[in-house]
PDB file of all heavy atoms in Angstrom:
ATOM      1  N   SER A  39     -88.408  76.807  -9.670  1.00 35.00           N
ATOM      2  CA  SER A  39     -87.710  78.083  -9.669  1.00 35.00           C
ATOM      3  C   SER A  39     -88.259  79.068 -10.675  1.00 35.00           C
ATOM      4  O   SER A  39     -87.990  80.256 -10.584  1.00 35.00           O
ATOM      5  CB  SER A  39     -86.227  77.843  -9.966  1.00 35.00           C
ATOM      6  OG  SER A  39     -86.078  77.194 -11.211  1.00 35.00           O
ATOM      7  N   SER A  40     -89.011  78.621 -11.675  1.00 35.00           N
ATOM      8  CA  SER A  40     -89.438  79.505 -12.736  1.00 35.00           C
ATOM      9  C   SER A  40     -90.811  80.071 -12.466  1.00 35.00           C
ATOM     10  O   SER A  40     -91.620  79.453 -11.787  1.00 35.00           O
ATOM     11  CB  SER A  40     -89.478  78.735 -14.072  1.00 35.00           C
ATOM     12  OG  SER A  40     -88.219  78.189 -14.348  1.00 35.00           O
ATOM     13  N   PRO A  41     -91.125  81.267 -12.978  1.00 33.00           N
ATOM     14  CA  PRO A  41     -92.467  81.820 -12.827  1.00 33.00           C
ATOM     15  C   PRO A  41     -93.447  81.071 -13.693  1.00 33.00           C
ATOM     16  O   PRO A  41     -93.076  80.207 -14.476  1.00 33.00           O
ATOM     17  CB  PRO A  41     -92.300  83.267 -13.309  1.00 33.00           C
ATOM     18  CG  PRO A  41     -91.166  83.184 -14.286  1.00 33.00           C
ATOM     19  CD  PRO A  41     -90.247  82.127 -13.730  1.00 33.00           C
ATOM     20  N   VAL A  42     -94.711  81.403 -13.607  1.00 36.00           N
ATOM     21  CA  VAL A  42     -95.735  80.742 -14.395  1.00 36.00           C
ATOM     22  C   VAL A  42     -96.346  81.765 -15.343  1.00 36.00           C
ATOM     23  O   VAL A  42     -97.329  82.410 -15.022  1.00 36.00           O
ATOM     24  CB  VAL A  42     -96.834  80.148 -13.488  1.00 36.00           C
ATOM     25  CG1 VAL A  42     -97.823  79.359 -14.308  1.00 36.00           C
ATOM     26  CG2 VAL A  42     -96.201  79.259 -12.440  1.00 36.00           C
ATOM     27  N   PRO A  43     -95.754  81.975 -16.491  1.00 36.00           N
ATOM     28  CA  PRO A  43     -96.249  83.017 -17.389  1.00 36.00           C
ATOM     29  C   PRO A  43     -97.523  82.596 -18.088  1.00 36.00           C
ATOM     30  O   PRO A  43     -97.799  81.411 -18.242  1.00 36.00           O
ATOM     31  CB  PRO A  43     -95.100  83.157 -18.391  1.00 36.00           C
ATOM     32  CG  PRO A  43     -94.507  81.787 -18.444  1.00 36.00           C
ATOM     33  CD  PRO A  43     -94.629  81.241 -17.040  1.00 36.00           C
ATOM     34  N   THR A  44     -98.303  83.563 -18.514  1.00 36.00           N
ATOM     35  CA  THR A  44     -99.460  83.273 -19.336  1.00 36.00           C
ATOM     36  C   THR A  44     -98.977  82.934 -20.727  1.00 36.00           C
ATOM     37  O   THR A  44     -98.170  83.666 -21.293  1.00 36.00           O
ATOM     38  CB  THR A  44    -100.390  84.496 -19.403  1.00 36.00           C
ATOM     39  OG1 THR A  44    -100.793  84.820 -18.077  1.00 36.00           O
ATOM     40  CG2 THR A  44    -101.601  84.215 -20.272  1.00 36.00           C
ATOM     41  N   PRO A  45     -99.428  81.802 -21.301  1.00 37.00           N
ATOM     42  CA  PRO A  45     -98.930  81.415 -22.617  1.00 37.00           C
ATOM     43  C   PRO A  45     -99.305  82.449 -23.662  1.00 37.00           C
ATOM     44  O   PRO A  45    -100.385  83.037 -23.598  1.00 37.00           O
ATOM     45  CB  PRO A  45     -99.632  80.073 -22.878  1.00 37.00           C
ATOM     46  CG  PRO A  45    -100.808  80.067 -21.975  1.00 37.00           C
ATOM     47  CD  PRO A  45    -100.408  80.873 -20.769  1.00 37.00           C
ATOM     48  N   PRO A  46     -98.432  82.728 -24.633  1.00 36.00           N
ATOM     49  CA  PRO A  46     -98.728  83.732 -25.664  1.00 36.00           C
ATOM     50  C   PRO A  46     -99.875  83.298 -26.553  1.00 36.00           C
ATOM     51  O   PRO A  46    -100.137  82.109 -26.724  1.00 36.00           O
ATOM     52  CB  PRO A  46     -97.415  83.817 -26.451  1.00 36.00           C
ATOM     53  CG  PRO A  46     -96.768  82.485 -26.248  1.00 36.00           C
ATOM     54  CD  PRO A  46     -97.137  82.078 -24.847  1.00 36.00           C
ATOM     55  N   ALA A  47    -100.588  84.283 -27.100  1.00 37.00           N
ATOM     56  CA  ALA A  47    -101.694  83.974 -28.004  1.00 37.00           C
ATOM     57  C   ALA A  47    -101.147  83.371 -29.286  1.00 37.00           C
ATOM     58  O   ALA A  47    -100.027  83.646 -29.709  1.00 37.00           O
ATOM     59  CB  ALA A  47    -102.475  85.249 -28.319  1.00 37.00           C
ATOM     60  N   ASP A  48    -101.981  82.555 -29.929  1.00 39.00           N
ATOM     61  CA  ASP A  48    -101.593  81.933 -31.185  1.00 39.00           C
ATOM     62  C   ASP A  48    -101.722  82.959 -32.302  1.00 39.00           C
ATOM     63  O   ASP A  48    -102.823  83.428 -32.597  1.00 39.00           O
ATOM     64  CB  ASP A  48    -102.510  80.731 -31.454  1.00 39.00           C
ATOM     65  CG  ASP A  48    -102.094  79.966 -32.692  1.00 39.00           C
ATOM     66  OD1 ASP A  48    -101.106  80.369 -33.326  1.00 39.00           O
ATOM     67  OD2 ASP A  48    -102.775  78.974 -33.017  1.00 39.00           O
ATOM     68  N   THR A  49    -100.609  83.338 -32.907  1.00 36.00           N
ATOM     69  CA  THR A  49    -100.627  84.350 -33.958  1.00 36.00           C
ATOM     70  C   THR A  49    -100.395  83.755 -35.333  1.00 36.00           C
ATOM     71  O   THR A  49    -100.090  84.475 -36.282  1.00 36.00           O
ATOM     72  CB  THR A  49     -99.551  85.409 -33.678  1.00 36.00           C
ATOM     73  OG1 THR A  49     -98.272  84.763 -33.590  1.00 36.00           O
ATOM     74  CG2 THR A  49     -99.825  86.143 -32.375  1.00 36.00           C
ATOM     75  N   SER A  50    -100.520  82.430 -35.448  1.00 38.00           N
ATOM     76  CA  SER A  50    -100.287  81.797 -36.745  1.00 38.00           C
ATOM     77  C   SER A  50    -101.406  82.162 -37.710  1.00 38.00           C
ATOM     78  O   SER A  50    -102.538  82.411 -37.315  1.00 38.00           O
ATOM     79  CB  SER A  50    -100.213  80.275 -36.571  1.00 38.00           C
ATOM     80  OG  SER A  50    -101.424  79.788 -36.051  1.00 38.00           O
ATOM     81  N   THR A  51    -101.099  82.203 -39.016  1.00 37.00           N
ATOM     82  CA  THR A  51    -102.088  82.535 -40.030  1.00 37.00           C
ATOM     83  C   THR A  51    -102.087  81.477 -41.104  1.00 37.00           C
ATOM     84  O   THR A  51    -101.127  80.726 -41.273  1.00 37.00           O
ATOM     85  CB  THR A  51    -101.793  83.911 -40.665  1.00 37.00           C
ATOM     86  OG1 THR A  51    -100.485  83.874 -41.249  1.00 37.00           O
ATOM     87  CG2 THR A  51    -101.830  85.015 -39.612  1.00 37.00           C
ATOM     88  N   THR A  52    -103.166  81.410 -41.846  1.00 37.00           N
ATOM     89  CA  THR A  52    -103.257  80.483 -42.963  1.00 37.00           C
ATOM     90  C   THR A  52    -103.547  81.293 -44.217  1.00 37.00           C
ATOM     91  O   THR A  52    -104.209  82.329 -44.181  1.00 37.00           O
ATOM     92  CB  THR A  52    -104.381  79.455 -42.738  1.00 37.00           C
ATOM     93  OG1 THR A  52    -105.608  80.159 -42.504  1.00 37.00           O
ATOM     94  CG2 THR A  52    -104.078  78.585 -41.523  1.00 37.00           C
ATOM     95  N   SER A  53    -103.058  80.818 -45.351  1.00 39.00           N
ATOM     96  CA  SER A  53    -103.270  81.526 -46.607  1.00 39.00           C
ATOM     97  C   SER A  53    -104.692  81.319 -47.093  1.00 39.00           C
ATOM     98  O   SER A  53    -105.290  80.262 -46.871  1.00 39.00           O
ATOM     99  CB  SER A  53    -102.268  81.032 -47.652  1.00 39.00           C
ATOM    100  OG  SER A  53    -102.429  79.637 -47.843  1.00 39.00           O
ATOM    101  N   GLU A  54    -105.246  82.321 -47.768  1.00 41.00           N
ATOM    102  CA  GLU A  54    -106.596  82.242 -48.303  1.00 41.00           C
ATOM    103  C   GLU A  54    -106.586  81.461 -49.607  1.00 41.00           C
ATOM    104  O   GLU A  54    -105.667  81.587 -50.424  1.00 41.00           O
ATOM    105  CB  GLU A  54    -107.140  83.657 -48.551  1.00 41.00           C
ATOM    106  CG  GLU A  54    -107.346  84.481 -47.295  1.00 41.00           C
ATOM    107  CD  GLU A  54    -108.446  83.911 -46.437  1.00 41.00           C
ATOM    108  OE1 GLU A  54    -109.350  83.258 -46.987  1.00 41.00           O
ATOM    109  OE2 GLU A  54    -108.404  84.107 -45.214  1.00 41.00           O
ATOM    110  N   PRO A  55    -107.631  80.639 -49.874  1.00 41.00           N
ATOM    111  CA  PRO A  55    -107.693  79.930 -51.150  1.00 41.00           C
ATOM    112  C   PRO A  55    -107.925  80.915 -52.286  1.00 41.00           C
ATOM    113  O   PRO A  55    -108.464  82.001 -52.092  1.00 41.00           O
ATOM    114  CB  PRO A  55    -108.891  78.984 -50.957  1.00 41.00           C
ATOM    115  CG  PRO A  55    -109.735  79.657 -49.922  1.00 41.00           C
ATOM    116  CD  PRO A  55    -108.761  80.350 -49.013  1.00 41.00           C
ATOM    117  N   ALA A  56    -107.504  80.560 -53.486  1.00 43.00           N
ATOM    118  CA  ALA A  56    -107.692  81.426 -54.650  1.00 43.00           C
ATOM    119  C   ALA A  56    -109.164  81.654 -54.896  1.00 43.00           C
ATOM    120  O   ALA A  56    -110.018  80.805 -54.622  1.00 43.00           O
ATOM    121  CB  ALA A  56    -107.036  80.777 -55.882  1.00 43.00           C
ATOM    122  N   THR A  57    -109.497  82.862 -55.451  1.00 46.00           N
ATOM    123  CA  THR A  57    -110.886  83.209 -55.721  1.00 46.00           C
ATOM    124  C   THR A  57    -111.496  82.201 -56.670  1.00 46.00           C
ATOM    125  O   THR A  57    -110.938  81.879 -57.719  1.00 46.00           O
ATOM    126  CB  THR A  57    -110.966  84.614 -56.340  1.00 46.00           C
ATOM    127  OG1 THR A  57    -110.353  85.536 -55.457  1.00 46.00           O
ATOM    128  CG2 THR A  57    -112.408  85.014 -56.592  1.00 46.00           C
ATOM    129  N   GLY A  58    -112.666  81.698 -56.304  1.00 51.00           N
ATOM    130  CA  GLY A  58    -113.354  80.746 -57.146  1.00 51.00           C
ATOM    131  C   GLY A  58    -112.953  79.311 -56.893  1.00 51.00           C
ATOM    132  O   GLY A  58    -113.636  78.393 -57.332  1.00 51.00           O
ATOM    133  N   ALA A  59    -111.865  79.087 -56.208  1.00 48.00           N
ATOM    134  CA  ALA A  59    -111.431  77.720 -55.916  1.00 48.00           C
ATOM    135  C   ALA A  59    -112.214  77.187 -54.733  1.00 48.00           C
ATOM    136  O   ALA A  59    -112.599  77.941 -53.842  1.00 48.00           O
ATOM    137  CB  ALA A  59    -109.941  77.699 -55.616  1.00 48.00           C
ATOM    138  N   PRO A  60    -112.524  75.898 -54.727  1.00 48.00           N
ATOM    139  CA  PRO A  60    -113.255  75.331 -53.588  1.00 48.00           C
ATOM    140  C   PRO A  60    -112.436  75.420 -52.323  1.00 48.00           C
ATOM    141  O   PRO A  60    -111.218  75.246 -52.331  1.00 48.00           O
ATOM    142  CB  PRO A  60    -113.474  73.871 -54.012  1.00 48.00           C
ATOM    143  CG  PRO A  60    -112.397  73.601 -55.013  1.00 48.00           C
ATOM    144  CD  PRO A  60    -112.172  74.901 -55.729  1.00 48.00           C
ATOM    145  N   SER A  61    -113.110  75.738 -51.224  1.00 51.00           N
ATOM    146  CA  SER A  61    -112.422  75.836 -49.934  1.00 51.00           C
ATOM    147  C   SER A  61    -112.033  74.449 -49.459  1.00 51.00           C
ATOM    148  O   SER A  61    -112.875  73.546 -49.431  1.00 51.00           O
ATOM    149  CB  SER A  61    -113.327  76.492 -48.893  1.00 51.00           C
ATOM    150  OG  SER A  61    -113.673  77.796 -49.303  1.00 51.00           O
ATOM    151  N   PRO A  62    -110.769  74.262 -49.126  1.00 52.00           N
ATOM    152  CA  PRO A  62    -110.355  72.938 -48.644  1.00 52.00           C
ATOM    153  C   PRO A  62    -110.968  72.646 -47.277  1.00 52.00           C
ATOM    154  O   PRO A  62    -111.269  73.553 -46.503  1.00 52.00           O
ATOM    155  CB  PRO A  62    -108.827  73.066 -48.549  1.00 52.00           C
ATOM    156  CG  PRO A  62    -108.608  74.537 -48.334  1.00 52.00           C
ATOM    157  CD  PRO A  62    -109.677  75.233 -49.129  1.00 52.00           C
ATOM    158  N   THR A  63    -111.176  71.378 -47.021  1.00 53.00           N
ATOM    159  CA  THR A  63    -111.678  70.971 -45.707  1.00 53.00           C
ATOM    160  C   THR A  63    -110.552  71.108 -44.698  1.00 53.00           C
ATOM    161  O   THR A  63    -109.485  70.508 -44.856  1.00 53.00           O
ATOM    162  CB  THR A  63    -112.164  69.508 -45.736  1.00 53.00           C
ATOM    163  OG1 THR A  63    -113.187  69.391 -46.726  1.00 53.00           O
ATOM    164  CG2 THR A  63    -112.693  69.101 -44.363  1.00 53.00           C
ATOM    165  N   SER A  64    -110.774  71.937 -43.683  1.00 57.00           N
ATOM    166  CA  SER A  64    -109.712  72.188 -42.707  1.00 57.00           C
ATOM    167  C   SER A  64    -109.695  71.090 -41.661  1.00 57.00           C
ATOM    168  O   SER A  64    -110.734  70.730 -41.100  1.00 57.00           O
ATOM    169  CB  SER A  64    -109.919  73.545 -42.031  1.00 57.00           C
ATOM    170  OG  SER A  64    -111.182  73.595 -41.399  1.00 57.00           O
ATOM    171  N   ALA A  65    -108.527  70.555 -41.415  1.00 56.00           N
ATOM    172  CA  ALA A  65    -108.363  69.531 -40.383  1.00 56.00           C
ATOM    173  C   ALA A  65    -108.216  70.215 -39.030  1.00 56.00           C
ATOM    174  O   ALA A  65    -107.734  71.345 -38.952  1.00 56.00           O
ATOM    175  CB  ALA A  65    -107.129  68.683 -40.679  1.00 56.00           C
ATOM    176  N   PRO A  66    -108.655  69.565 -37.956  1.00 57.00           N
ATOM    177  CA  PRO A  66    -108.493  70.165 -36.630  1.00 57.00           C
ATOM    178  C   PRO A  66    -107.026  70.437 -36.337  1.00 57.00           C
ATOM    179  O   PRO A  66    -106.154  69.635 -36.650  1.00 57.00           O
ATOM    180  CB  PRO A  66    -109.046  69.073 -35.694  1.00 57.00           C
ATOM    181  CG  PRO A  66    -109.913  68.216 -36.555  1.00 57.00           C
ATOM    182  CD  PRO A  66    -109.296  68.258 -37.923  1.00 57.00           C
ATOM    183  N   SER A  67    -106.759  71.613 -35.781  1.00 64.00           N
ATOM    184  CA  SER A  67    -105.384  71.951 -35.439  1.00 64.00           C
ATOM    185  C   SER A  67    -104.911  71.073 -34.287  1.00 64.00           C
ATOM    186  O   SER A  67    -105.640  70.904 -33.304  1.00 64.00           O
ATOM    187  CB  SER A  67    -105.277  73.423 -35.030  1.00 64.00           C
ATOM    188  OG  SER A  67    -105.693  74.255 -36.084  1.00 64.00           O
ATOM    189  N   PRO A  68    -103.725  70.504 -34.407  1.00 68.00           N
ATOM    190  CA  PRO A  68    -103.225  69.679 -33.297  1.00 68.00           C
ATOM    191  C   PRO A  68    -102.963  70.540 -32.069  1.00 68.00           C
ATOM    192  O   PRO A  68    -102.582  71.710 -32.178  1.00 68.00           O
ATOM    193  CB  PRO A  68    -101.915  69.101 -33.858  1.00 68.00           C
ATOM    194  CG  PRO A  68    -101.506  70.074 -34.930  1.00 68.00           C
ATOM    195  CD  PRO A  68    -102.782  70.603 -35.521  1.00 68.00           C
ATOM    196  N   GLU A  69    -103.215  69.979 -30.906  1.00 84.00           N
ATOM    197  CA  GLU A  69    -102.966  70.715 -29.675  1.00 84.00           C
ATOM    198  C   GLU A  69    -101.465  70.932 -29.490  1.00 84.00           C
ATOM    199  O   GLU A  69    -100.658  70.064 -29.794  1.00 84.00           O
ATOM    200  CB  GLU A  69    -103.506  69.939 -28.476  1.00 84.00           C
ATOM    201  CG  GLU A  69    -105.010  69.972 -28.341  1.00 84.00           C
ATOM    202  CD  GLU A  69    -105.463  69.348 -27.035  1.00 84.00           C
ATOM    203  OE1 GLU A  69    -104.755  68.450 -26.539  1.00 84.00           O
ATOM    204  OE2 GLU A  69    -106.517  69.756 -26.521  1.00 84.00           O
ATOM    205  N   SER A  70    -101.126  72.107 -28.980  1.00 95.00           N
ATOM    206  CA  SER A  70     -99.735  72.363 -28.647  1.00 95.00           C
ATOM    207  C   SER A  70     -99.379  71.596 -27.381  1.00 95.00           C
ATOM    208  O   SER A  70    -100.261  71.100 -26.663  1.00 95.00           O
ATOM    209  CB  SER A  70     -99.514  73.856 -28.419  1.00 95.00           C
ATOM    210  OG  SER A  70    -100.192  74.276 -27.247  1.00 95.00           O
ATOM    211  N   GLU A  71     -98.092  71.528 -27.086  1.00 96.00           N
ATOM    212  CA  GLU A  71     -97.663  70.824 -25.875  1.00 96.00           C
ATOM    213  C   GLU A  71     -98.215  71.514 -24.631  1.00 96.00           C
ATOM    214  O   GLU A  71     -98.597  70.847 -23.667  1.00 96.00           O
ATOM    215  CB  GLU A  71     -96.137  70.765 -25.820  1.00 96.00           C
ATOM    216  CG  GLU A  71     -95.602  69.828 -24.748  1.00 96.00           C
ATOM    217  CD  GLU A  71     -94.099  69.653 -24.817  1.00 96.00           C
ATOM    218  OE1 GLU A  71     -93.413  70.560 -25.357  1.00 96.00           O
ATOM    219  OE2 GLU A  71     -93.593  68.612 -24.344  1.00 96.00           O
ATOM    220  N   SER A  72     -98.292  72.843 -24.664  1.00 97.00           N
ATOM    221  CA  SER A  72     -98.851  73.580 -23.528  1.00 97.00           C
ATOM    222  C   SER A  72    -100.327  73.274 -23.343  1.00 97.00           C
ATOM    223  O   SER A  72    -100.808  73.121 -22.217  1.00 97.00           O
ATOM    224  CB  SER A  72     -98.655  75.086 -23.725  1.00 97.00           C
ATOM    225  OG  SER A  72     -97.290  75.433 -23.635  1.00 97.00           O
ATOM    226  N   GLU A  73    -101.059  73.189 -24.444  1.00 97.00           N
ATOM    227  CA  GLU A  73    -102.486  72.874 -24.363  1.00 97.00           C
ATOM    228  C   GLU A  73    -102.710  71.462 -23.838  1.00 97.00           C
ATOM    229  O   GLU A  73    -103.628  71.221 -23.038  1.00 97.00           O
ATOM    230  CB  GLU A  73    -103.131  73.045 -25.731  1.00 97.00           C
ATOM    231  CG  GLU A  73    -103.232  74.488 -26.185  1.00 97.00           C
ATOM    232  CD  GLU A  73    -103.681  74.620 -27.631  1.00 97.00           C
ATOM    233  OE1 GLU A  73    -103.403  73.697 -28.443  1.00 97.00           O
ATOM    234  OE2 GLU A  73    -104.302  75.633 -27.966  1.00 97.00           O
ATOM    235  N   GLN A  74    -101.888  70.527 -24.270  1.00 97.00           N
ATOM    236  CA  GLN A  74    -101.994  69.154 -23.774  1.00 97.00           C
ATOM    237  C   GLN A  74    -101.700  69.095 -22.281  1.00 97.00           C
ATOM    238  O   GLN A  74    -102.386  68.407 -21.530  1.00 97.00           O
ATOM    239  CB  GLN A  74    -101.037  68.246 -24.545  1.00 97.00           C
ATOM    240  CG  GLN A  74    -101.402  68.062 -26.004  1.00 97.00           C
ATOM    241  CD  GLN A  74    -100.338  67.303 -26.789  1.00 97.00           C
ATOM    242  OE1 GLN A  74     -99.245  67.040 -26.286  1.00 97.00           O
ATOM    243  NE2 GLN A  74    -100.651  66.959 -28.019  1.00 97.00           N
TER     244      GLN A  74
END
Side-chain angles (χ1 to χ4, degrees):
S39 58
S40 302
V42 185
T44 301
D48 185 0
T49 58
S50 61
T51 59
T52 56
S53 59
E54 294 293 333
T57 303
S61 299
T63 302
S64 58
S67 300
E69 285 188 331
S70 68
E71 191 173 24
S72 291
E73 290 171 331
Q74 293 173 352

